[in-house]
Every structure is written in structure tokens, then in C-alpha cells.
Amino acid sequence: MGYTWIDLLCSLSIMGTVLTYALTLPQTWVGRSDMMLARQRFEQDWRRARWSAQIMGQTVRLQPITSCVATPASSGWPCGWQTVVESSGLLLKETRLPSGLSVSTKPSDTWRIDAWGDPLTGGASILFQSVTDPTASPELLCMNVLGRLRRLRAETCSD
């Protein structure tokens, strides 16, 4: 009792379909974990920048990294961000993003913190999206006027 060509072709097509689906899953997981990691790093850097501003008694800002190679069409913070002392330009920390992420901020490209650790950029938001996985829900951080960050799985901040 042997197998026919039809049996063999059906088996191969089923295996091909399962394999195609299985090969896209790791890419999806990597894209989502990169997006979540970038959001967590920004939250940590935001808290650290507020603390640094209070300790030093100087205005600190988070700004996009300017010395990076990005595509001409990219906007926002395509390579990551820096924490900088505003008066002296002293670099406190630099966080680079993995490729495959799109990060955009509203309304400005600079998030400022005064010497008391209070934000000067109230009502701002930063959106993290995966370029490699368009099906992944974007992660959004919304900041109120007190500097509290709120996480959402949306594209806009709303109350």
C-alpha cells in the first residue's frame, strides 16, 4: 500500500501553510517586545531626568538623537533620545532604539523639565509603533500637566 501523488501534494501543501504561519510568529513577537522595551526605557529615562533636574537644580530636556542615519521620510525620534542639561548641553544619558520602530512625539520634539522636576511640556504624548509588524497595536504614553505618564494601546490621547 503506497501513497499517491495527490496524497503527497496535499501533505506538502498543508505543511507549507503551517510553516508559513509559524515563520511569521517570531517576527511578530520580536516587534512587539522591541516596542514594549522602548516604551519602558522612555518611562525610566523620564523619571531619571526628573530626578536629575531636581538634584542638579537645572533644567533638563529629553530630545531626539540628531547624530544618526535615518531615512529621509522618518520623522519624530527614529534613532532614540538623549537626556541633556539645557544650560550647558551636558549629555546625561543616551538611549538608542532598535531598528524597526517608529517613535513620534506630539506636540514638540523636546520634553523639558524645570529645576524642580516639573515638566514644561504638559499634554505631550509619545507614540511607539512597530514598522516590522503592522498588525501590532501601537503603544502610547500620554503626559498630563503634572508630568504623570499614562500608557494606552491607541494612537491618540483622550480622556
Side-chain angles (χ1 to χ4, degrees), residues 128-150:
F128 298 89
Q129 289 180 309
S130 175
V131 177
T132 57
D133 181 19
T135 62
S137 300
E139 299 231 357
L140 180 69
L141 287 176
C142 301
M143 182 177 52
N144 64 12
V145 291
L146 299 175
R148 180 170 292 167
L149 294 175
R150 183 173 44 128

Side-chain angles (χ1 to χ4, degrees), residues 15-121:
M15 286 175 39
T17 304
V18 169
L19 242 152
T20 302
Y21 178 72
L23 288 177
T24 59
L25 286 178
Q27 181 180 359
T28 303
W29 294 334
V30 168
R32 288 182 186 164
S33 68
D34 283 349
M35 188 172 43
M36 204 166 39
L37 182 64
R39 181 196 39 85
Q40 289 171 350
R41 283 184 182 165
F42 185 83
E43 287 180 83
Q44 290 171 354
D45 289 351
W46 174 250
R47 284 192 291 274
R48 187 176 293 130
R50 291 184 74 179
W51 181 78
S52 297
Q54 287 176 337
I55 295 297
M56 293 186 302
Q58 296 186 19
T59 303
V60 173
R61 67 177 184 254
L62 272 78
Q63 64 186 19
I65 295 175
T66 54
S67 60
C68 73
V69 180
T71 59
S74 63
S75 61
W77 300 9
C79 298
W81 53 85
Q82 299 173 328
T83 306
V84 177
V85 177
E86 193 166 86
S87 61
S88 64
L90 175 68
L91 177 66
L92 299 176
K93 186 168 187 328
E94 182 173 280
T95 302
R96 296 223 174 238
L97 292 175
S99 61
L101 281 183
S102 166
V103 177
S104 55
T105 60
K106 292 178 184 172
S108 68
D109 274 352
T110 302
W111 289 37
R112 297 178 64 226
I113 303 159
D114 67 13
W116 294 277
D118 294 329
L120 299 172
T121 318

